[in-house]
Amino acid sequence: MSNYKTIGSEQLVDIFKALANSHRLKIYNILTSCCTPGTSCVSDEVFSCCVGDLDSQLDIAASTLSHHLKELHRAGLINMQRDGKQVFCSVNPEVMKQLQTIFSSKLVGAQL
């Protein structure tokens, strides 16, 4: 049996709501750039990105970026850590692994 909590239906809804926005999906894709498609990030390989670096890759206001990051964090998709004036964001590897398991399973409906 796994030693991590599985994603419940309510959290899945929050995840899909968060990723339904094109800006949040782009942010999440940038943060998952450390992973080869079809694989998952190992916690010591997780790509971390400064919010300022994300800002330069997106054509949105800083306040809008902050809102999108908050929504991704609230859904459990990303981790955020402050280091002085900088805030670093990274993909939550546990949630990513669980999502990959759900989507790779032939019994998706049984897991909800």
Side-chain angles (χ1 to χ4, degrees):
M1 183 147 168
S2 174
N3 62 354
Y4 58 85
K5 185 178 132 189
T6 58
I7 297 174
S9 296
E10 296 238 351
Q11 187 177 5
L12 273 177
V13 170
D14 289 341
I15 287 169
F16 292 133
K17 282 181 183 177
L19 293 175
N21 178 281
S22 63
H23 291 296
R24 289 193 285 265
L25 183 58
K26 186 171 183 177
I27 293 165
Y28 194 72
N29 282 333
I30 291 168
L31 292 174
T32 59
S33 66
C34 70
C35 303
T36 305
T39 65
S40 61
C41 291
V42 180
S43 60
D44 61 349
E45 296 176 2
V46 172
F47 176 70
S48 182
C49 190
C50 177
V51 172
D53 294 336
L54 282 172
D55 191 27
S56 67
Q57 296 181 51
L58 303 164
D59 189 26
I60 57 177
S63 60
T64 304
L65 175 59
S66 178
H67 167 75
H68 290 314
L69 290 172
K70 182 179 112 183
E71 290 300 312
L72 290 168
H73 184 257
R74 186 188 62 75
L77 288 163
I78 65 171
N79 299 315
M80 297 177 75
Q81 184 174 3
R82 179 173 292 280
D83 183 14
K85 291 184 178 183
Q86 294 183 322
V87 177
F88 290 91
C89 303
S90 60
V91 170
N92 181 337
E94 290 85 23
V95 170
M96 180 183 265
K97 288 175 191 175
Q98 291 179 49
L99 287 173
Q100 287 176 333
T101 299
I102 288 169
F103 286 115
S104 66
S105 171
K106 294 182 182 181
L107 301 173
V108 174
Q111 294 196 16
L112 298 177

